[in-house]
Amino acid sequence: MNIALIAHDAKKELMVQFCIAYCGVLSKHVLCATGTTGKLVSEATGLNIQRFLSGSHGGEQQISAKIACNEVDLLLFFRDPLTKKEYEPSESALLRLCDVHNIPVATNIATAEALVHSLERGDLDWRMIVAKR
């Protein structure tokens, strides 16, 4: 599966720790991320990550484009709900695209853990399930 990683500044360390904890699962998939998040996760885990621009400089839009082209299967987007972002409209568009394309999204660690455990069990390969029908 193709997995995209995004984390607000206040959540980058949490994303790094999450990826360290689930490195074994994530290493079996194709990863991409916004610039700084990808750099930090890659340095901490050794995972191969395609890096885009920083989120505030267009990285979220680049990931949105991959979603629109069916090139992302899962999004882990650790958001900081307590700090208002000037680029929140692009985040809303990103989440809307995930809804349109049926992309599972985790915006916090609890949901991310549930999705990664499902991924590990093979429960998330919904495109294969749809193809079998």
Side-chain angles (χ1 to χ4, degrees):
M1 292 188 96
N2 297 315
I3 302 171
L5 308 173
I6 303 173
H8 286 156
D9 289 344
K11 301 292 182 173
K12 288 193 188 316
E13 182 57 29
L14 181 62
M15 178 65 82
V16 168
Q17 294 304 316
F18 177 85
C19 290
I20 289 170
Y22 293 102
C23 188
V25 177
L26 296 173
S27 67
K28 298 173 185 168
H29 301 279
V30 177
L31 305 176
C32 68
T34 50
T36 307
T37 299
K39 178 179 184 281
L40 294 171
V41 170
S42 181
E43 288 174 351
T45 63
L47 290 169
N48 184 25
I49 301 174
Q50 178 186 9
R51 289 177 43 207
F52 294 109
L53 297 171
S54 293
S56 61
H57 290 103
E60 289 176 8
Q61 287 86 355
Q62 290 176 301
I63 289 176
S64 292
K66 288 184 72 73
I67 290 168
C69 293
N70 290 317
E71 296 174 5
V72 170
D73 302 305
L74 174 68
L75 174 62
L76 303 179
F77 184 4
F78 288 6
R79 302 174 70 205
D80 176 8
L82 302 178
T83 306
K84 182 160 175 56
K85 315 294 178 301
E86 68 233 21
Y87 46 90
E88 273 189 55
S90 67
E91 292 176 7
S92 294
L94 171 68
L95 295 173
R96 186 171 32 258
L97 271 174
C98 288
D99 288 341
V100 168
H101 293 277
N102 289 314
I103 305 301
V105 179
T107 59
N108 58 62
I109 193 163
T111 307
E113 287 185 330
L115 288 178
V116 167
H117 286 295
S118 292
L119 182 65
E120 188 174 27
R121 288 190 309 266
D123 297 344
L124 275 184
D125 200 356
W126 63 269
R127 292 173 202 244
M128 293 298 292
I129 294 167
V130 171
K132 290 178 183 176
R133 289 185 182 164

